[in-house]
Amino acid sequence: MGLKRGHRAKPLEWLAEKTIFLVSLTAILMVFLIFIFIGREALPVALGQMNAAETQKVIPVEQLDKLSEQQLSKYLGLTKAEFARMDREALKTLMELKAESGGDSSKNKDAGVNTAQWRYLLRPYQWSGYDRPEYIWQPVSEVPKYNIVPLIIGSLKVTLIALIISVPLALGAAIYISQLARPRVREIAKPVIELLAGIPSVVLGFFALIVMATFIQKVTGSHSRLNALCAGLALGLAVIPVVFSIAEDALTSVPRSYVQAALALGASRWKSAWQVVLPAALPGVFAAILLGFGRAVGETMVVLMASGNASIVSWNIYDSTRTITATIAAELGEVVFGSPHYRILFLIGVLLFVVTFVTNLLAGIVVHGLKAKMEGRK
C-alpha cells in the first residue's frame, strides 16, 4: 500500500499551509494595488499632462467639431474615460463654462503659468511681487505654487535631527544592555525601552507641542516656538525604540565565544563590546539605522503637530518647517478631486515611496556586502 501524499496525508497541515499562502499573497496584492492607485493619480502631473494655469487660451465653442478628441480632452482637462462618457452636448456645455471662466482677464502676469510643470515643481521662479527667484509651496493663492523643494528640505532636516539624536542613544543603550548590564538590570531596562514604541505618535506630538516647544524656546531663544529642532527631538523619541530593538538583537546574536576570547586576552568588557562585538554586529546595526531612517521619514503626526508647518527653504534648525508627510495629511482631505493640487499631493506620495524603496534597496545591498565581508566570502 503506497504512502499518501499532500492533503490526503495531513489535511489540516495542508489547509493551514494554503491559508497562510493565500493570506500572504492577498497582503502583497493589496500593497501592490495601493501603489498602482497612487501612481495612477500622480501620472498626469508626472507626464506633464496637467495644466494648472489660472487663465488659458479660450477656444470658441464653434470650433468644437474642428478639434480632435485628444485636443479637446486636454483643453477641458478630461481623462480618456471621462471624455468617452460625455456626449456632444455635455462637451459643448463644458466649453461654454470654460469660455466664461476664461473671459475674466487676470491682472497677474503669472496667471497663465502652468505651475504643474516639472520646471516649476523643482526649480525656483521669480513670481510677481518677488525680487528674486524663490522656491514656494503655496497651493491656495491667486496663482497656486507647487514647488516641492521646501517640503523635501523640511523632511530631510527633521529626519537628520531625529537620527543625530536617536542613533547614539539607541546604540549606546543597546551596547550597555546586551554586553555590560547585569541580568537583573537587563530584564527590566529592555522591556521598558521597547515599550516606548507603543506610545502613540499623536501623544508624542502633543507632548512636543505643549511641553518641549516652550522649553526649547526658553533655552535657545528661537524666534519660532514650533520649529525643526522641536519636531526632530520628538521624532527622535519615536525612532529610539526601533533602532534599539534591532541593534540589541544584532549585538546579542554575536557568539559569546568572541567576548570570552577577548576577555581571556585581557580586554575589558567595554573594550570587547566596542572593538569586538560591535564590528561583528555591524550589518545588523546598519540595518537598524536605516530602518530608523525609514521610520523618521514616514512619520506624520509628530511633524504635523510640532514643526510649525511653514514651507521655508532654510537649513536653520530654529526655523519652522514643513515635511512631505505633514503636507499630505493636512491638505489631501480638502482638495478638489482631480485638481492639480490633488494630483501633486499624490506625486509627492510617490516620491516618498521611491525614497523609502531606494533606501531599503541600498540597505539590503550594503548589509549583504558587509555580511559577505565578515564571513570571509569577499
mmCIF file of all heavy atoms in Angstrom, residues 158-208:
data_model
loop_
_atom_site.group_PDB
_atom_site.id
_atom_site.type_symbol
_atom_site.label_atom_id
_atom_site.label_comp_id
_atom_site.label_asym_id
_atom_site.label_seq_id
_atom_site.Cartn_x
_atom_site.Cartn_y
_atom_site.Cartn_z
ATOM 1 N N VAL A 158 14.303 67.522 9.408
ATOM 2 C CA VAL A 158 13.724 66.911 10.602
ATOM 3 C C VAL A 158 14.248 65.490 10.793
ATOM 4 O O VAL A 158 14.548 65.066 11.920
ATOM 5 C CB VAL A 158 12.183 66.929 10.505
ATOM 6 C CG1 VAL A 158 11.572 66.143 11.645
ATOM 7 C CG2 VAL A 158 11.663 68.352 10.525
ATOM 8 N N THR A 159 14.375 64.741 9.690
ATOM 9 C CA THR A 159 14.856 63.360 9.779
ATOM 10 C C THR A 159 16.300 63.299 10.274
ATOM 11 O O THR A 159 16.647 62.466 11.116
ATOM 12 C CB THR A 159 14.743 62.678 8.408
ATOM 13 O OG1 THR A 159 13.368 62.680 7.989
ATOM 14 C CG2 THR A 159 15.246 61.239 8.468
ATOM 15 N N LEU A 160 17.150 64.177 9.765
ATOM 16 C CA LEU A 160 18.554 64.187 10.192
ATOM 17 C C LEU A 160 18.675 64.548 11.673
ATOM 18 O O LEU A 160 19.481 63.943 12.398
ATOM 19 C CB LEU A 160 19.352 65.172 9.336
ATOM 20 C CG LEU A 160 19.584 64.762 7.882
ATOM 21 C CD1 LEU A 160 20.297 65.867 7.119
ATOM 22 C CD2 LEU A 160 20.392 63.466 7.802
ATOM 23 N N ILE A 161 17.888 65.521 12.126
ATOM 24 C CA ILE A 161 17.916 65.867 13.552
ATOM 25 C C ILE A 161 17.493 64.677 14.394
ATOM 26 O O ILE A 161 18.116 64.363 15.425
ATOM 27 C CB ILE A 161 16.997 67.080 13.819
ATOM 28 C CG1 ILE A 161 17.557 68.329 13.137
ATOM 29 C CG2 ILE A 161 16.859 67.329 15.320
ATOM 30 C CD1 ILE A 161 16.618 69.522 13.191
ATOM 31 N N ALA A 162 16.440 63.991 13.966
ATOM 32 C CA ALA A 162 15.957 62.834 14.716
ATOM 33 C C ALA A 162 17.009 61.730 14.777
ATOM 34 O O ALA A 162 17.211 61.104 15.827
ATOM 35 C CB ALA A 162 14.674 62.299 14.074
ATOM 36 N N LEU A 163 17.708 61.486 13.662
ATOM 37 C CA LEU A 163 18.722 60.428 13.646
ATOM 38 C C LEU A 163 19.944 60.817 14.472
ATOM 39 O O LEU A 163 20.531 59.966 15.161
ATOM 40 C CB LEU A 163 19.136 60.120 12.199
ATOM 41 C CG LEU A 163 18.078 59.451 11.322
ATOM 42 C CD1 LEU A 163 18.626 59.215 9.923
ATOM 43 C CD2 LEU A 163 17.616 58.134 11.926
ATOM 44 N N ILE A 164 20.351 62.083 14.404
ATOM 45 C CA ILE A 164 21.508 62.532 15.196
ATOM 46 C C ILE A 164 21.245 62.352 16.693
ATOM 47 O O ILE A 164 22.157 62.038 17.469
ATOM 48 C CB ILE A 164 21.827 64.008 14.862
ATOM 49 C CG1 ILE A 164 22.391 64.108 13.447
ATOM 50 C CG2 ILE A 164 22.809 64.589 15.867
ATOM 51 C CD1 ILE A 164 22.558 65.539 12.959
ATOM 52 N N ILE A 165 20.002 62.524 17.083
ATOM 53 C CA ILE A 165 19.649 62.384 18.497
ATOM 54 C C ILE A 165 19.412 60.924 18.877
ATOM 55 O O ILE A 165 19.888 60.446 19.909
ATOM 56 C CB ILE A 165 18.392 63.226 18.807
ATOM 57 C CG1 ILE A 165 18.721 64.708 18.656
ATOM 58 C CG2 ILE A 165 17.850 62.930 20.204
ATOM 59 C CD1 ILE A 165 17.512 65.607 18.632
ATOM 60 N N SER A 166 18.686 60.188 18.045
ATOM 61 C CA SER A 166 18.233 58.844 18.424
ATOM 62 C C SER A 166 19.286 57.766 18.241
ATOM 63 O O SER A 166 19.380 56.849 19.075
ATOM 64 C CB SER A 166 16.984 58.476 17.614
ATOM 65 O OG SER A 166 17.284 58.437 16.228
ATOM 66 N N VAL A 167 20.087 57.834 17.195
ATOM 67 C CA VAL A 167 21.028 56.742 16.908
ATOM 68 C C VAL A 167 22.073 56.580 18.015
ATOM 69 O O VAL A 167 22.283 55.460 18.509
ATOM 70 C CB VAL A 167 21.682 56.948 15.520
ATOM 71 C CG1 VAL A 167 22.849 55.986 15.329
ATOM 72 C CG2 VAL A 167 20.650 56.743 14.419
ATOM 73 N N PRO A 168 22.785 57.638 18.457
ATOM 74 C CA PRO A 168 23.747 57.433 19.550
ATOM 75 C C PRO A 168 23.104 56.911 20.833
ATOM 76 O O PRO A 168 23.660 56.020 21.497
ATOM 77 C CB PRO A 168 24.345 58.833 19.759
ATOM 78 C CG PRO A 168 24.113 59.553 18.483
ATOM 79 C CD PRO A 168 22.816 59.039 17.969
ATOM 80 N N LEU A 169 21.930 57.449 21.188
ATOM 81 C CA LEU A 169 21.261 56.985 22.406
ATOM 82 C C LEU A 169 20.821 55.533 22.279
ATOM 83 O O LEU A 169 21.007 54.727 23.201
ATOM 84 C CB LEU A 169 20.042 57.880 22.697
ATOM 85 C CG LEU A 169 20.340 59.332 23.075
ATOM 86 C CD1 LEU A 169 19.043 60.122 23.226
ATOM 87 C CD2 LEU A 169 21.148 59.399 24.369
ATOM 88 N N ALA A 170 20.235 55.183 21.137
ATOM 89 C CA ALA A 170 19.746 53.819 20.950
ATOM 90 C C ALA A 170 20.897 52.817 20.901
ATOM 91 O O ALA A 170 20.821 51.746 21.520
ATOM 92 C CB ALA A 170 18.919 53.737 19.663
ATOM 93 N N LEU A 171 21.975 53.149 20.181
ATOM 94 C CA LEU A 171 23.117 52.224 20.097
ATOM 95 C C LEU A 171 23.820 52.109 21.447
ATOM 96 O O LEU A 171 24.261 51.017 21.844
ATOM 97 C CB LEU A 171 24.099 52.699 19.024
ATOM 98 C CG LEU A 171 23.621 52.591 17.578
ATOM 99 C CD1 LEU A 171 24.739 53.000 16.621
ATOM 100 C CD2 LEU A 171 23.167 51.172 17.267
ATOM 101 N N GLY A 172 23.955 53.231 22.160
ATOM 102 C CA GLY A 172 24.564 53.170 23.488
ATOM 103 C C GLY A 172 23.770 52.287 24.430
ATOM 104 O O GLY A 172 24.334 51.466 25.171
ATOM 105 N N ALA A 173 22.443 52.439 24.403
ATOM 106 C CA ALA A 173 21.595 51.604 25.253
ATOM 107 C C ALA A 173 21.666 50.139 24.841
ATOM 108 O O ALA A 173 21.689 49.241 25.694
ATOM 109 C CB ALA A 173 20.149 52.097 25.179
ATOM 110 N N ALA A 174 21.733 49.887 23.527
ATOM 111 C CA ALA A 174 21.809 48.503 23.043
ATOM 112 C C ALA A 174 23.111 47.834 23.464
ATOM 113 O O ALA A 174 23.123 46.669 23.889
ATOM 114 C CB ALA A 174 21.669 48.489 21.521
ATOM 115 N N ILE A 175 24.237 48.577 23.376
ATOM 116 C CA ILE A 175 25.527 48.020 23.785
ATOM 117 C C ILE A 175 25.547 47.753 25.286
ATOM 118 O O ILE A 175 26.012 46.700 25.746
ATOM 119 C CB ILE A 175 26.671 48.976 23.382
ATOM 120 C CG1 ILE A 175 26.805 49.032 21.857
ATOM 121 C CG2 ILE A 175 27.993 48.538 24.006
ATOM 122 C CD1 ILE A 175 27.783 50.077 21.372
ATOM 123 N N TYR A 176 25.020 48.705 26.053
ATOM 124 C CA TYR A 176 25.030 48.537 27.511
ATOM 125 C C TYR A 176 24.177 47.336 27.936
ATOM 126 O O TYR A 176 24.623 46.498 28.729
ATOM 127 C CB TYR A 176 24.520 49.809 28.184
ATOM 128 C CG TYR A 176 24.326 49.656 29.670
ATOM 129 C CD1 TYR A 176 25.415 49.630 30.543
ATOM 130 C CD2 TYR A 176 23.047 49.514 30.207
ATOM 131 C CE1 TYR A 176 25.229 49.469 31.905
ATOM 132 C CE2 TYR A 176 22.860 49.357 31.566
ATOM 133 C CZ TYR A 176 23.949 49.326 32.416
ATOM 134 O OH TYR A 176 23.768 49.160 33.763
ATOM 135 N N ILE A 177 22.965 47.255 27.423
ATOM 136 C CA ILE A 177 22.050 46.200 27.867
ATOM 137 C C ILE A 177 22.487 44.829 27.369
ATOM 138 O O ILE A 177 22.370 43.829 28.085
ATOM 139 C CB ILE A 177 20.617 46.529 27.407
ATOM 140 C CG1 ILE A 177 20.096 47.727 28.208
ATOM 141 C CG2 ILE A 177 19.685 45.331 27.566
ATOM 142 C CD1 ILE A 177 18.726 48.200 27.801
ATOM 143 N N SER A 178 23.028 44.755 26.152
ATOM 144 C CA SER A 178 23.400 43.442 25.608
ATOM 145 C C SER A 178 24.753 42.950 26.109
ATOM 146 O O SER A 178 24.981 41.741 26.183
ATOM 147 C CB SER A 178 23.421 43.502 24.075
ATOM 148 O OG SER A 178 24.422 44.395 23.623
ATOM 149 N N GLN A 179 25.661 43.874 26.499
ATOM 150 C CA GLN A 179 27.028 43.457 26.818
ATOM 151 C C GLN A 179 27.489 43.806 28.235
ATOM 152 O O GLN A 179 28.339 43.107 28.789
ATOM 153 C CB GLN A 179 28.012 44.094 25.808
ATOM 154 C CG GLN A 179 27.715 43.797 24.368
ATOM 155 C CD GLN A 179 27.794 42.323 24.035
ATOM 156 O OE1 GLN A 179 28.704 41.623 24.519
ATOM 157 N NE2 GLN A 179 26.870 41.838 23.221
ATOM 158 N N LEU A 180 26.982 44.861 28.819
ATOM 159 C CA LEU A 180 27.561 45.361 30.064
ATOM 160 C C LEU A 180 26.633 45.250 31.272
ATOM 161 O O LEU A 180 27.109 45.147 32.404
ATOM 162 C CB LEU A 180 27.973 46.833 29.888
ATOM 163 C CG LEU A 180 28.924 47.134 28.723
ATOM 164 C CD1 LEU A 180 29.141 48.635 28.589
ATOM 165 C CD2 LEU A 180 30.250 46.413 28.911
ATOM 166 N N ALA A 181 25.340 45.295 31.054
ATOM 167 C CA ALA A 181 24.396 45.334 32.172
ATOM 168 C C ALA A 181 24.283 43.980 32.868
ATOM 169 O O ALA A 181 24.466 42.924 32.247
ATOM 170 C CB ALA A 181 23.016 45.772 31.675
ATOM 171 N N ARG A 182 23.977 44.022 34.160
ATOM 172 C CA ARG A 182 23.717 42.788 34.905
ATOM 173 C C ARG A 182 22.390 42.191 34.449
ATOM 174 O O ARG A 182 21.508 42.910 33.961
ATOM 175 C CB ARG A 182 23.679 43.078 36.411
ATOM 176 C CG ARG A 182 25.006 43.581 36.968
ATOM 177 C CD ARG A 182 24.982 43.557 38.498
ATOM 178 N NE ARG A 182 23.899 44.394 39.014
ATOM 179 C CZ ARG A 182 24.025 45.690 39.270
ATOM 180 N NH1 ARG A 182 25.180 46.306 39.038
ATOM 181 N NH2 ARG A 182 23.001 46.380 39.750
ATOM 182 N N PRO A 183 22.212 40.887 34.572
ATOM 183 C CA PRO A 183 20.967 40.255 34.104
ATOM 184 C C PRO A 183 19.709 40.888 34.675
ATOM 185 O O PRO A 183 18.710 41.044 33.971
ATOM 186 C CB PRO A 183 21.131 38.803 34.564
ATOM 187 C CG PRO A 183 22.601 38.592 34.631
ATOM 188 C CD PRO A 183 23.185 39.897 35.064
ATOM 189 N N ARG A 184 19.759 41.265 35.953
ATOM 190 C CA ARG A 184 18.583 41.864 36.575
ATOM 191 C C ARG A 184 18.239 43.201 35.929
ATOM 192 O O ARG A 184 17.068 43.501 35.660
ATOM 193 C CB ARG A 184 18.846 42.058 38.082
ATOM 194 C CG ARG A 184 17.684 42.668 38.853
ATOM 195 C CD ARG A 184 16.462 41.784 38.816
ATOM 196 N NE ARG A 184 15.375 42.337 39.596
ATOM 197 C CZ ARG A 184 14.131 41.871 39.574
ATOM 198 N NH1 ARG A 184 13.828 40.834 38.800
ATOM 199 N NH2 ARG A 184 13.195 42.416 40.324
ATOM 200 N N VAL A 185 19.259 44.014 35.684
ATOM 201 C CA VAL A 185 19.046 45.306 35.026
ATOM 202 C C VAL A 185 18.537 45.105 33.605
ATOM 203 O O VAL A 185 17.642 45.810 33.131
ATOM 204 C CB VAL A 185 20.352 46.124 35.028
ATOM 205 C CG1 VAL A 185 20.177 47.427 34.247
ATOM 206 C CG2 VAL A 185 20.796 46.407 36.457
ATOM 207 N N ARG A 186 19.091 44.108 32.902
ATOM 208 C CA ARG A 186 18.679 43.832 31.523
ATOM 209 C C ARG A 186 17.212 43.434 31.451
ATOM 210 O O ARG A 186 16.488 43.847 30.545
ATOM 211 C CB ARG A 186 19.557 42.730 30.942
ATOM 212 C CG ARG A 186 19.320 42.464 29.460
ATOM 213 C CD ARG A 186 20.175 41.328 28.939
ATOM 214 N NE ARG A 186 21.593 41.618 29.161
ATOM 215 C CZ ARG A 186 22.399 40.868 29.894
ATOM 216 N NH1 ARG A 186 21.927 39.789 30.520
ATOM 217 N NH2 ARG A 186 23.671 41.184 30.035
ATOM 218 N N GLU A 187 16.764 42.632 32.395
ATOM 219 C CA GLU A 187 15.372 42.164 32.374
ATOM 220 C C GLU A 187 14.380 43.300 32.575
ATOM 221 O O GLU A 187 13.246 43.227 32.101
ATOM 222 C CB GLU A 187 15.174 41.106 33.471
ATOM 223 C CG GLU A 187 15.895 39.799 33.196
ATOM 224 C CD GLU A 187 15.771 38.825 34.350
ATOM 225 O OE1 GLU A 187 15.103 39.192 35.350
ATOM 226 O OE2 GLU A 187 16.344 37.723 34.273
ATOM 227 N N ILE A 188 14.807 44.353 33.252
ATOM 228 C CA ILE A 188 13.906 45.479 33.495
ATOM 229 C C ILE A 188 14.036 46.542 32.403
ATOM 230 O O ILE A 188 13.028 47.044 31.871
ATOM 231 C CB ILE A 188 14.203 46.106 34.876
ATOM 232 C CG1 ILE A 188 13.939 45.082 35.988
ATOM 233 C CG2 ILE A 188 13.364 47.368 35.086
ATOM 234 C CD1 ILE A 188 14.334 45.566 37.366
ATOM 235 N N ALA A 189 15.280 46.891 32.049
ATOM 236 C CA ALA A 189 15.512 48.020 31.142
ATOM 237 C C ALA A 189 15.072 47.717 29.713
ATOM 238 O O ALA A 189 14.482 48.589 29.047
ATOM 239 C CB ALA A 189 16.990 48.399 31.154
ATOM 240 N N LYS A 190 15.332 46.516 29.227
ATOM 241 C CA LYS A 190 14.992 46.213 27.835
ATOM 242 C C LYS A 190 13.495 46.331 27.554
ATOM 243 O O LYS A 190 13.102 47.011 26.589
ATOM 244 C CB LYS A 190 15.508 44.823 27.460
ATOM 245 C CG LYS A 190 15.247 44.469 26.009
ATOM 246 C CD LYS A 190 15.773 43.097 25.650
ATOM 247 C CE LYS A 190 15.433 42.773 24.194
ATOM 248 N NZ LYS A 190 15.906 41.421 23.800
ATOM 249 N N PRO A 191 12.612 45.721 28.340
ATOM 250 C CA PRO A 191 11.173 45.896 28.062
ATOM 251 C C PRO A 191 10.701 47.336 28.192
ATOM 252 O O PRO A 191 9.820 47.769 27.447
ATOM 253 C CB PRO A 191 10.508 45.000 29.113
ATOM 254 C CG PRO A 191 11.548 44.030 29.522
ATOM 255 C CD PRO A 191 12.845 44.762 29.429
ATOM 256 N N VAL A 192 11.297 48.077 29.140
ATOM 257 C CA VAL A 192 10.878 49.477 29.317
ATOM 258 C C VAL A 192 11.186 50.291 28.070
ATOM 259 O O VAL A 192 10.347 51.075 27.591
ATOM 260 C CB VAL A 192 11.573 50.086 30.546
ATOM 261 C CG1 VAL A 192 11.356 51.605 30.583
ATOM 262 C CG2 VAL A 192 11.042 49.457 31.823
ATOM 263 N N ILE A 193 12.385 50.121 27.505
ATOM 264 C CA ILE A 193 12.755 50.864 26.295
ATOM 265 C C ILE A 193 11.887 50.443 25.116
ATOM 266 O O ILE A 193 11.408 51.282 24.337
ATOM 267 C CB ILE A 193 14.248 50.668 25.981
ATOM 268 C CG1 ILE A 193 15.109 51.246 27.105
ATOM 269 C CG2 ILE A 193 14.611 51.339 24.655
ATOM 270 C CD1 ILE A 193 16.583 50.997 26.936
ATOM 271 N N GLU A 194 11.651 49.142 24.983
ATOM 272 C CA GLU A 194 10.846 48.660 23.865
ATOM 273 C C GLU A 194 9.389 49.077 23.992
ATOM 274 O O GLU A 194 8.687 49.215 22.982
ATOM 275 C CB GLU A 194 10.957 47.139 23.760
ATOM 276 C CG GLU A 194 12.342 46.680 23.322
ATOM 277 C CD GLU A 194 12.456 45.173 23.227
ATOM 278 O OE1 GLU A 194 11.609 44.490 23.857
ATOM 279 O OE2 GLU A 194 13.367 44.685 22.529
ATOM 280 N N LEU A 195 8.920 49.296 25.218
ATOM 281 C CA LEU A 195 7.543 49.757 25.407
ATOM 282 C C LEU A 195 7.336 51.181 24.889
ATOM 283 O O LEU A 195 6.199 51.593 24.634
ATOM 284 C CB LEU A 195 7.157 49.696 26.885
ATOM 285 C CG LEU A 195 6.735 48.325 27.427
ATOM 286 C CD1 LEU A 195 6.522 48.391 28.924
ATOM 287 C CD2 LEU A 195 5.463 47.849 26.729
ATOM 288 N N LEU A 196 8.429 51.939 24.731
ATOM 289 C CA LEU A 196 8.306 53.287 24.174
ATOM 290 C C LEU A 196 7.731 53.255 22.762
ATOM 291 O O LEU A 196 7.118 54.224 22.309
ATOM 292 C CB LEU A 196 9.672 53.986 24.164
ATOM 293 C CG LEU A 196 10.279 54.320 25.532
ATOM 294 C CD1 LEU A 196 11.678 54.889 25.347
ATOM 295 C CD2 LEU A 196 9.401 55.313 26.274
ATOM 296 N N ALA A 197 7.957 52.141 22.046
ATOM 297 C CA ALA A 197 7.419 52.019 20.688
ATOM 298 C C ALA A 197 5.900 51.976 20.681
ATOM 299 O O ALA A 197 5.266 52.242 19.651
ATOM 300 C CB ALA A 197 7.980 50.767 20.014
ATOM 301 N N GLY A 198 5.289 51.629 21.824
ATOM 302 C CA GLY A 198 3.839 51.560 21.901
ATOM 303 C C GLY A 198 3.168 52.883 22.182
ATOM 304 O O GLY A 198 1.931 52.959 22.162
ATOM 305 N N ILE A 199 3.951 53.937 22.433
ATOM 306 C CA ILE A 199 3.350 55.253 22.675
ATOM 307 C C ILE A 199 2.823 55.797 21.356
ATOM 308 O O ILE A 199 3.571 55.906 20.379
ATOM 309 C CB ILE A 199 4.372 56.224 23.282
ATOM 310 C CG1 ILE A 199 4.880 55.698 24.629
ATOM 311 C CG2 ILE A 199 3.763 57.610 23.453
ATOM 312 C CD1 ILE A 199 5.944 56.564 25.253
ATOM 313 N N PRO A 200 1.546 56.160 21.266
ATOM 314 C CA PRO A 200 1.012 56.705 20.003
ATOM 315 C C PRO A 200 1.760 57.961 19.579
ATOM 316 O O PRO A 200 2.140 58.791 20.426
ATOM 317 C CB PRO A 200 -0.457 57.005 20.343
ATOM 318 C CG PRO A 200 -0.763 56.145 21.523
ATOM 319 C CD PRO A 200 0.512 56.040 22.307
ATOM 320 N N SER A 201 1.957 58.105 18.287
ATOM 321 C CA SER A 201 2.693 59.269 17.789
ATOM 322 C C SER A 201 1.961 60.572 18.082
ATOM 323 O O SER A 201 2.588 61.619 18.255
ATOM 324 C CB SER A 201 2.935 59.129 16.287
ATOM 325 O OG SER A 201 1.717 58.973 15.601
ATOM 326 N N VAL A 202 0.630 60.512 18.170
ATOM 327 C CA VAL A 202 -0.113 61.735 18.490
ATOM 328 C C VAL A 202 0.177 62.190 19.918
ATOM 329 O O VAL A 202 0.175 63.396 20.201
ATOM 330 C CB VAL A 202 -1.629 61.495 18.271
ATOM 331 C CG1 VAL A 202 -2.192 60.515 19.293
ATOM 332 C CG2 VAL A 202 -2.392 62.817 18.337
ATOM 333 N N VAL A 203 0.473 61.255 20.812
ATOM 334 C CA VAL A 203 0.833 61.621 22.187
ATOM 335 C C VAL A 203 2.198 62.312 22.195
ATOM 336 O O VAL A 203 2.394 63.323 22.880
ATOM 337 C CB VAL A 203 0.840 60.371 23.089
ATOM 338 C CG1 VAL A 203 1.349 60.720 24.483
ATOM 339 C CG2 VAL A 203 -0.557 59.772 23.170
ATOM 340 N N LEU A 204 3.151 61.765 21.428
ATOM 341 C CA LEU A 204 4.467 62.411 21.326
ATOM 342 C C LEU A 204 4.338 63.801 20.706
ATOM 343 O O LEU A 204 5.000 64.747 21.143
ATOM 344 C CB LEU A 204 5.405 61.541 20.482
ATOM 345 C CG LEU A 204 5.855 60.220 21.096
ATOM 346 C CD1 LEU A 204 6.683 59.420 20.091
ATOM 347 C CD2 LEU A 204 6.660 60.459 22.367
ATOM 348 N N GLY A 205 3.481 63.919 19.685
ATOM 349 C CA GLY A 205 3.274 65.222 19.073
ATOM 350 C C GLY A 205 2.663 66.222 20.033
ATOM 351 O O GLY A 205 3.055 67.394 20.067
ATOM 352 N N PHE A 206 1.700 65.774 20.838
ATOM 353 C CA PHE A 206 1.066 66.656 21.824
ATOM 354 C C PHE A 206 2.074 67.078 22.890
ATOM 355 O O PHE A 206 2.111 68.244 23.301
ATOM 356 C CB PHE A 206 -0.123 65.932 22.457
ATOM 357 C CG PHE A 206 -0.895 66.771 23.431
ATOM 358 C CD1 PHE A 206 -1.798 67.730 22.982
ATOM 359 C CD2 PHE A 206 -0.719 66.622 24.796
ATOM 360 C CE1 PHE A 206 -2.505 68.514 23.867
ATOM 361 C CE2 PHE A 206 -1.429 67.406 25.689
ATOM 362 C CZ PHE A 206 -2.324 68.355 25.228
ATOM 363 N N PHE A 207 2.913 66.131 23.328
ATOM 364 C CA PHE A 207 3.947 66.447 24.318
ATOM 365 C C PHE A 207 4.930 67.482 23.760
ATOM 366 O O PHE A 207 5.329 68.428 24.457
ATOM 367 C CB PHE A 207 4.682 65.164 24.711
ATOM 368 C CG PHE A 207 5.837 65.386 25.638
ATOM 369 C CD1 PHE A 207 5.637 65.688 26.972
ATOM 370 C CD2 PHE A 207 7.139 65.281 25.168
ATOM 371 C CE1 PHE A 207 6.707 65.897 27.829
ATOM 372 C CE2 PHE A 207 8.219 65.488 26.017
ATOM 373 C CZ PHE A 207 7.995 65.793 27.355
ATOM 374 N N ALA A 208 5.311 67.304 22.479
ATOM 375 C CA ALA A 208 6.220 68.263 21.857
ATOM 376 C C ALA A 208 5.565 69.633 21.702
ATOM 377 O O ALA A 208 6.210 70.670 21.907
ATOM 378 C CB ALA A 208 6.662 67.739 20.490
#
